[in-house]
């Protein structure tokens, strides 16, 4: 023990001894010990503080749970929005592909039509050429017959 604690201990013990007869008389008269009252008040205060701390912790847990639910809801909303946007992009791509396919089919049919028209023109030109050739042969045959008739008949007509 240090020298400074000795007088304090002596004073504390002396006060306790001096107070003991008064405390006994006080208890005998039916009064309670003020230290016990203070201790009971402290216990009540500690219990109240524990209860408040428990309530605050419960409130904090409730708020944290609520925030967690809100965050989950926001995440689900973002995922749904992204999924909807992806479906819209896919639908747009499908539309564009169908449009290109229709345009290609239309161009192919137009090319076939042009090819058929060219074939038709070619057939018509061949028919016309054949008709012209037959006409030329007929005229040539008629000319040859006329020349032969002139030569043979030289005026018998």
């Amino acid at each position: 023990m240090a020298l400074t604690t000795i007088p304090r201990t002596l004073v504390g013990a002396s006060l306790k001894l001096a107070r003991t007869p008064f405390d006994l008389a006080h208890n005998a008269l039916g009064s309670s010990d003020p230290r016990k009252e203070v201790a009971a008040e402290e216990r009540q205060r500690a219990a109240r503080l524990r209860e408040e701390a428990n309530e605050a912790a419960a409130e904090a847990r409730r708020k944290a749970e609520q925030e967690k639910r809100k965050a989950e809801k926001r995440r689900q909303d973002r995922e749904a929005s992204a999924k909807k946007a992806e479906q819209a992009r896919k639908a747009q791509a499908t539309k564009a592909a169908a449009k290109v396919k229709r345009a290609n089919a239309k161009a192919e049919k137009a090319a076939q039509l042009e090819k058929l028209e060219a074939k038709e023109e070619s057939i018509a030109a061949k028919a016309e050429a054949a008709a012209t050739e037959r006409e030329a042969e007929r005229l040539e045959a008629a000319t040859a017959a006329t020349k032969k008739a002139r030569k043979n008949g030289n005026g018998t007509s």
Side-chain angles (χ1 to χ4, degrees), residues 44-154:
Q44 288 174 351
R45 182 172 173 264
R48 191 177 64 247
L49 288 176
R50 271 193 301 276
E51 184 64 31
E52 288 175 2
N54 287 340
E55 288 175 6
E59 180 69 18
R61 280 192 300 273
R62 187 187 63 75
K63 283 185 179 179
E65 191 63 33
Q66 189 177 22
E67 282 298 316
K68 186 177 177 182
R69 283 192 302 270
K70 284 182 182 177
E72 181 66 20
K73 175 84 167 109
R74 286 191 302 267
R75 183 188 63 79
Q76 288 175 351
D77 289 346
R78 280 193 309 271
E79 286 177 357
S81 176
K83 190 174 182 179
K84 191 181 282 186
E86 180 65 25
Q87 287 175 345
R89 282 192 295 276
K90 283 182 180 180
Q92 189 175 9
T94 303
K95 275 178 137 178
K99 186 176 181 180
V100 167
K101 190 175 180 180
R102 284 191 307 271
N104 287 343
K106 188 176 181 180
E108 188 176 322
K109 288 189 185 226
Q112 285 177 347
L113 182 62
E114 286 180 17
K115 186 177 176 182
L116 289 174
E117 287 174 351
K119 217 178 226 186
E120 189 178 289
E121 288 176 9
S122 172
I123 290 171
K126 283 181 183 178
E128 189 177 325
T132 306
E133 191 176 323
R134 284 191 303 271
E135 182 66 26
E137 287 174 0
R138 189 184 59 76
L139 286 176
E140 194 176 305
T143 307
T146 307
K147 279 186 184 179
K148 194 175 188 185
R150 279 189 192 162
K151 203 181 206 184
N152 288 341
N154 211 358

Side-chain angles (χ1 to χ4, degrees), residues 36-50:
K36 287 184 183 176
E37 289 177 12
V38 169
E41 287 175 7
E42 285 297 318
R43 281 193 298 277
Q44 288 174 351
R45 182 172 173 264
R48 191 177 64 247
L49 288 176
R50 271 193 301 276

